[in-house]
C-alpha cells in the first residue's frame, strides 16, 4: 500500500466532511476541480439504472449555484450536521493523477431543540486528483437512506 | 374507538376555518383509511411503464395498506393487498422485481401473479397425519384483490365494486382528463424516484398542494427566477365536486420589474436578488399546446402530478399514521425524448423533491404546523384568501379557495359535512 497516498486522500476526504459540518460551504467548493461533478443519488435509482438524483450538479457552476441558493433563497430546518466517516478505501490505482476512493459515512443531524438523530447513511464514491492540493473531479454520494427525513438542504 | 369528531366540528360552513384536531385525531385517521383510502375512490398505484414485462411487479402503499401491482401472464396489470391469506405476512418483500409467482416465505403458500392461491405445502399432512381440513378450498384464500383500470398508462385501482364508485373517466372529470391526459399524451419513460418522509398529517400536504398563495412566498427561488409569481397569469381550478384541483401559471406573463415592485410593496423581498452561474435549470422548452409553464395537479385521494417547466412527476402520498406521511416522487420523461431533453429533465429535477430548490421548504412548513397545532386542537386555522362563502375556481394565485374545496369534498366522503355547508 502507498501510505503517503492513503494518508493524503484520507485527510482530504475528511476535510471535505469537516467543512460541511462547519458550514464552510464556500471553502468546501474549493475542494472541487473546475471540471467536476457532484451528485447525490438515492440507492434505489442507482440500482435500477435511473438517472434522477436528489442533487445533480454536472458542473462546478451548478454546485456553486446550489450553495448560493441555499444561502439566499432556501428555507429549511436549521440544524447542525456531523459526518462520521469510515476509512477511505482506494479502489483504483492512480491514473493520470486521479484515484478512485470509497468512503462510508453517517450523518447525525441535530435540531434547534437539541435532539439528534441519524439523518442518513451512504458512501462517497470519489475521483480525486491527487497532488499538493487534492481536488475532487467527481463526487457521487450514494444515499442508502433514500427516503429523506423532511428535506435535504445542505450538501452531504 | 369511534371518532369524537362530528359535523359540528366546523366553525364555518364554508370551510374558511380548519380545526387543528383534524390533523391529530387518531380515531379520525382510522376512519379515513376506511372511508377514503378504501372508500368510493379511484387511487393510483403507479405507471404501466413500471411493469412492462410479464412477472414485473412493484410494491406500493395505498393509505397505510401495503399493495402490489404486477403484470399478469395475460398481459393485464393486476393488484392485490400484500398480505398472505394464511398468517398475514407480507408476500412480496422487495420494492420491485420480476417473479414467476409470489410465495410467502413464512409457510411457502404460493400465489399466481394475479393473486390466486395455488399452493399450500403439506395441505394433506405429513406421513398421513395433520394437514388442512377436507373442506379447505384454495379459492377461498386468494390475496385480497384490487380492481384495476389503466388510463393513459396510469394504473388506477379501487376496492369499490362497480356501481359503488363512478366509472374512472367520470371520477376524473373533464378537468383532470384534459390536464393529466395532456401529461400522459404519449408513452412515458421512468427517470427515477425521490422520496421523503414528513412528520405531518397527510391532509396538510393536500392543503399545501392546493395552496396557490404560498408558492412564491415560501419558495423564494420561484419569485426570484419567475417560475411562479402572484403577478403572473395563473389560476386555481377544481372539478364540480372540488374533488381534484389544478394550480397553473404562465411564466413570462409578468415582467421582473412589475413583479419585484409588487413583492417589495408587500414587504416580502429583503435584500438583493440573487443570480446564478448557470441558468440552464430555469430554461423552459414549451411542450404543451396550452403554453402552461407550471401545473400542480391533485387527483384525490393519493396522487399529485406536476409539470414544472420540463420536469414531470407523479407524487404518491402514503400515510404513516396521523402524524407522518411519505411522498414518493416518480419522475418521468417521454420515450421519444432526445438525449439532450432527457439530460435537461435530469438537471431540472434539482428544483423538485426533498432537495428541490423550489420544494424543499414544504416539508419544513408542514412539520412546523403539525408541531405547533398539537397542543390546541380546539383552535382552527384561517383560510380566507381569495374570498369566503362560495367555493369556486379563480383566475389568480392570490387565493386559497382550492383548500376549502378539499375540505368540502373530504367532509362529504367522511360524513362530516355540516348542515347548510358550501359544496
Amino acid at each position: 500500500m502507498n501510505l503517503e497516498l492513503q494518508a493524503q486522500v484520507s485527510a482530504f476526504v475528511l476535510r471535505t466532511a469537516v467543512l460541511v459540518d462547519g458550514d464552510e460551504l464556500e471553502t468546501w467548493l474549493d475542494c472541487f476541480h473546475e471540471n467536476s461533478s457532484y451528485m447525490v443519488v438515492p440507492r434505489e435509482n442507482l440500482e435500477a439504472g435511473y438517472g434522477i438524483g436528489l442533487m445533480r450538479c454536472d458542473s462546478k457552476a451548478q454546485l456553486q449555484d446550489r450553495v448560493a441558493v441555499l444561502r439566499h433563497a432556501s428555507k429549511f430546518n436549521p440544524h447542525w450536521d456531523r459526518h462520521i466517516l469510515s476509512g477511505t478505501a482506494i479502489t483504483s490505482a492512480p491514473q493520470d493523477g486521479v484515484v478512485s476512493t470509497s468512503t462510508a459515512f453517517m450523518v447525525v443531524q441535530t435540531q434547534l431543540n437539541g435532539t439528534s438523530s441519524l439523518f442518513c447513511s451512504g458512501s462517497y464514491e470519489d475521483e480525486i486528483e491527487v497532488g499538493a492540493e487534492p481536488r475532487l473531479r467527481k463526487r457521487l454520494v450514494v444515499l442508502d437512506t433514500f427516503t429523506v427525513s423532511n428535506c435535504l438542504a445542505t450538501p452531504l | 374507538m369511534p371518532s369524537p369528531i362530528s359535523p359540528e366540528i366546523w366553525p364555518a360552513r364554508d370551510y374558511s376555518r380548519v380545526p387543528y384536531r383534524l390533523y391529530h385525531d387518531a380515531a379520525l385517521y382510522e376512519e379515513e383509511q376506511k372511508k377514503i383510502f378504501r372508500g368510493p375512490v379511484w387511487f393510483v398505484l403507479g405507471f404501466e411503464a413500471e411493469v412492462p414485462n410479464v412477472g414485473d411487479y412493484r410494491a406500493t402503499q395505498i393509505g397505510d395498506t401495503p399493495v402490489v401491482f404486477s403484470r399478469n401472464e395475460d398481459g393485464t396489470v393486476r393488484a392485490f393487498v400484500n398480505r398472505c391469506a394464511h398468517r398475514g405476512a407480507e408476500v412480496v418483500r422487495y420494492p420491485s422485481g420480476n417473479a414467476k409467482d409470489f410465495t410467502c416465505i413464512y409457510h411457502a403458500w404460493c400465489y399466481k401473479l394475479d393473486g390466486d392461491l395455488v399452493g399450500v405445502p403439506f395441505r394433506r399432512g405429513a406421513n398421513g397425519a395433520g394437514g388442512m381440513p377436507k373442506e379447505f378450498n384454495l379459492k377461498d384464500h386468494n390475496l385480497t384483490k384490487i380492481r384495476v383500470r389503466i388510463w393513459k398508462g396510469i394504473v388506477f385501482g379501487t376496492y369499490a365494486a362497480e356501481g359503488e364508485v363512478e366509472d374512472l373517466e367520470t371520477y376524473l372529470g373533464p378537468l383532470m382528463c384534459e390536464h393529466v391526459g395532456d401529461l400522459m399524451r404519449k408513452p412515458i419513460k421512468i427517470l427515477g424516484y425521490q422520496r421523503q418522509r414528513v412528520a405531518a398529517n397527510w391532509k396538510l400536504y393536500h392543503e399545501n398542494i392546493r395552496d396557490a398563495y404560498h408558492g412564491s412566498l415560501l419558495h423564494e427561488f420561484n419569485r426570484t427566477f419567475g417560475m411562479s409569481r402572484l403577478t403572473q397569469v395563473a389560476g386555481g381550478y377544481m372539478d364540480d365536486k372540488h374533488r381534484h384541483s389544478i394550480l397553473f401559471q404562465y411564466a413570462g406573463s409578468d415582467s421582473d420589474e412589475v413583479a419585484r415592485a409588487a413583492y417589495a410593496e408587500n414587504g416580502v423581498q429583503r435584500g438583493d436578488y440573487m443570480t446564478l452561474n448557470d441558468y440552464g435549470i430555469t430554461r423552459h422548452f414549451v411542450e404543451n399546446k396550452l403554453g402552461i409553464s407550471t401545473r400542480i395537479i391533485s387527483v384525490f385521494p393519493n396522487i399529485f402530478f406536476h409539470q414544472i417547466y420540463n420536469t414531470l412527476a407523479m407524487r404518491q402520498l402514503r400515510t404513516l399514521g396521523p402524524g407522518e406521511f411519505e411522498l414518493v416522487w416518480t419522475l418521468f420523461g417521454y420515450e421519444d425524448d432526445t438525449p439532450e431533453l432527457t439530460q435537461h429533465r435530469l438537471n431540472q429535477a434539482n428544483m423538485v423533491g426533498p432537495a428541490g430548490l423550489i420544494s424543499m421548504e414544504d416539508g419544513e412548513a408542514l412539520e412546523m404546523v403539525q408541531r405547533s397545532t398539537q397542543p390546541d386542537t380546539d383552535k382552527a386555522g384561517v383560510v380566507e384568501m381569495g374570498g369566503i362563502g362560495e367555493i369556486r375556481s379563480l383566475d389568480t394565485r392570490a387565493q386559497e379557495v382550492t383548500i376549502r374545496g378539499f375540505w368540502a369534498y373530504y367532509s362529504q366522503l367522511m360524513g362530516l359535512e355540516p348542515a347548510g355547508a358550501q359544496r
Side-chain angles (χ1 to χ4, degrees):
Chain A
M1 192 207 275
N2 182 336
L3 288 178
E4 197 185 326
L5 181 67
Q6 179 68 52
Q8 185 185 127
V9 295
S10 296
F12 175 69
V13 172
L14 180 60
R15 176 175 153 75
T16 62
V18 168
L19 287 170
V20 173
D21 289 349
D23 196 30
E24 296 179 69
L25 297 178
E26 288 73 14
T27 312
W28 175 73
L29 287 171
D30 294 338
C31 298
F32 287 82
H33 189 273
E34 284 314 302
N35 296 312
S36 58
S37 65
Y38 173 84
M39 307 206 187
V40 180
V41 180
R43 191 181 184 100
E44 68 173 334
N45 287 347
L46 212 63
E47 292 191 347
Y50 291 137
I52 283 291
L54 295 175
M55 295 184 184
R56 195 189 159 96
C57 304
D58 292 323
S59 68
K60 187 165 177 178
Q62 288 181 326
L63 186 57
Q64 288 165 330
D65 287 343
R66 261 274 166 197
V67 173
V69 175
L70 185 81
R71 294 294 193 220
H72 294 110
S74 297
K75 292 150 192 149
F76 50 90
N77 55 325
H79 61 267
W80 295 279
D81 283 339
R82 292 286 178 201
H83 283 67
I84 314 297
L85 302 187
S86 72
T88 294
I90 296 173
T91 52
S92 81
Q95 210 171 2
D96 302 326
V98 176
V99 290
S100 301
T101 68
S102 178
T103 311
F105 67 81
M106 289 193 294
V107 174
V108 174
Q109 199 170 84
T110 302
Q111 310 300 328
L112 289 188
N113 66 2
T115 59
S116 304
S117 60
L118 178 65
F119 179 64
C120 65
S121 92
S123 76
Y124 294 138
E125 302 302 322
D126 291 337
E127 288 177 19
I128 302 170
E129 188 178 284
V130 290
E133 278 190 65
R135 290 277 186 274
L136 279 163
R137 298 296 291 258
K138 178 183 174 185
R139 169 158 283 180
L140 170 65
V141 184
V142 179
L143 209 53
D144 293 351
T145 312
F146 58 78
T147 186
V148 174
S149 178
N150 188 349
C151 66
L152 176 68
T154 34
L156 295 169
Chain B
M1 181 176 60
S3 169
I5 293 175
S6 72
E8 282 76 52
I9 192 171
W10 295 103
R13 287 176 302 182
D14 63 358
Y15 307 99
S16 57
R17 293 291 179 279
V18 181
Y20 295 154
R21 186 178 295 277
L22 297 171
Y23 307 132
H24 299 280
D25 191 89
L28 179 70
Y29 176 82
E30 293 304 322
E31 279 189 38
E32 289 167 349
Q33 293 298 322
K34 289 192 205 95
K35 292 181 176 168
I36 293 179
F37 296 105
R38 290 170 187 248
V41 300
W42 286 98
F43 45 75
V44 173
L45 295 148
F47 289 118
E48 236 192 333
E50 293 174 290
V51 289
N53 305 310
V54 170
D56 285 352
Y57 65 85
R58 190 154 182 91
T60 177
Q61 203 180 298
I62 301 304
D64 54 17
T65 305
V67 163
V68 172
F69 65 101
S70 67
R71 179 77 65 177
N72 194 33
E73 272 145 16
D74 62 4
T76 59
V77 175
R78 306 295 181 95
F80 49 82
V81 174
N82 188 10
R83 187 172 54 231
C84 183
H86 178 215
R87 301 290 303 156
E90 284 177 3
V91 175
V92 173
R93 301 165 70 217
Y94 290 92
S96 63
N98 184 276
K100 288 196 165 48
D101 54 54
F102 297 115
T103 301
C104 178
I105 62 162
Y106 200 174
H107 304 88
W109 281 32
C110 179
Y111 302 88
K112 285 197 301 181
L113 293 173
D114 64 3
D116 279 355
L117 180 63
V118 288
V120 173
F122 297 99
R123 185 178 164 193
R124 313 279 177 218
N127 303 326
M132 284 294 190
K134 265 207 288 296
E135 55 273 24
F136 180 85
N137 191 341
L138 293 179
K139 283 193 184 66
D140 297 335
H141 302 280
N142 296 330
L143 296 171
T144 303
K145 295 186 184 180
I146 291 166
R147 197 152 65 89
V148 168
R149 263 288 311 275
I150 308 284
W151 185 78
K152 294 187 182 284
I154 305 168
V155 182
F156 284 87
T158 184
Y159 291 99
E162 270 182 65
E164 290 174 356
V165 62
E166 302 133 283
D167 71 76
L168 182 57
E169 277 87 351
T170 309
Y171 180 83
L172 290 171
L175 187 67
M176 291 299 106
C177 285
E178 179 187 359
H179 288 282
V180 180
D182 184 48
L183 294 180
M184 300 300 293
R185 64 190 176 274
K186 49 187 179 173
I188 64 161
K189 181 171 65 181
I190 305 293
L191 298 179
Y193 302 97
Q194 299 178 330
R195 300 184 189 223
Q196 71 192 113
R197 288 185 177 222
V198 179
N201 185 265
W202 66 277
K203 298 186 294 299
L204 278 167
Y205 197 72
H206 270 275
E207 292 192 295
N208 176 266
I209 278 285
R210 286 169 170 248
D211 176 349
Y213 185 24
H214 87 288
S216 59
L217 297 171
L218 178 65
H219 308 299
E220 193 173 326
F221 192 94
N222 268 338
R223 72 168 178 272
T224 303
F225 299 108
M227 335 287 298
S228 167
R229 289 196 286 230
L230 292 163
T231 42
Q232 288 165 344
V233 175
Y237 291 0
M238 291 167 283
D239 62 305
D240 293 344
K241 291 178 185 284
H242 309 137
R243 176 157 55 186
H244 317 296
S245 67
I246 174 170
L247 305 182
F248 62 89
Q249 68 242 341
Y250 294 84
S253 59
D254 62 349
S255 70
D256 281 357
E257 228 173 23
V258 167
R260 287 173 181 196
Y263 281 90
E265 219 168 87
N266 282 280
V268 176
Q269 187 65 33
R270 299 190 179 100
D272 294 337
Y273 280 91
M274 65 170 303
T275 56
L276 296 176
N277 291 304
D278 182 347
Y279 283 91
I281 194 175
T282 63
R283 205 173 301 148
H284 177 213
F285 300 104
V286 178
E287 294 185 86
N288 63 84
K289 45 182 191 294
L290 301 166
I292 292 175
S293 54
T294 292
R295 281 182 274 193
I296 309 288
I297 298 168
S298 169
V299 182
F300 194 87
N302 74 326
I303 289 292
F304 313 94
F305 282 91
H306 86 224
Q307 173 225 327
I308 300 173
Y309 284 21
N310 300 105
T311 78
L312 308 170
M314 180 177 81
R315 313 175 190 174
Q316 188 189 50
L317 183 150
R318 304 175 179 182
T319 57
L320 300 167
E324 191 178 13
F325 65 87
E326 183 176 35
L327 209 55
V328 180
W329 307 55
T330 306
L331 287 103
F332 63 91
Y334 299 111
E335 269 182 13
D336 65 359
D337 284 350
T338 61
E340 293 74 24
L341 184 52
T342 298
Q343 198 56 41
H344 178 58
R345 293 195 205 280
L346 295 176
N347 181 22
Q348 210 157 53
N350 275 298
M351 293 205 292
V352 305
L357 300 176
I358 59 169
S359 65
M360 73 167 76
E361 290 87 0
D362 289 317
E364 176 64 1
L366 303 193
E367 291 198 0
M368 289 193 303
V369 174
Q370 187 74 14
R371 277 199 301 272
S372 65
T373 55
Q374 199 276 329
D376 280 303
T377 51
D378 57 332
K379 295 198 163 53
V382 177
V383 187
E384 293 196 6
M385 203 74 184
I388 55 174
E390 191 193 349
I391 296 169
R392 62 203 173 97
S393 298
L394 291 174
D395 282 308
T396 174
R397 277 195 75 113
Q399 58 108 352
E400 47 198 11
V401 178
T402 30
I403 294 178
R404 296 198 284 120
F406 169 79
W407 291 112
Y409 185 67
Y410 169 91
S411 296
Q412 287 179 54
L413 260 195
M414 291 293 293
L416 292 176
E417 199 176 24
Q422 287 286 338
R423 281 197 166 180

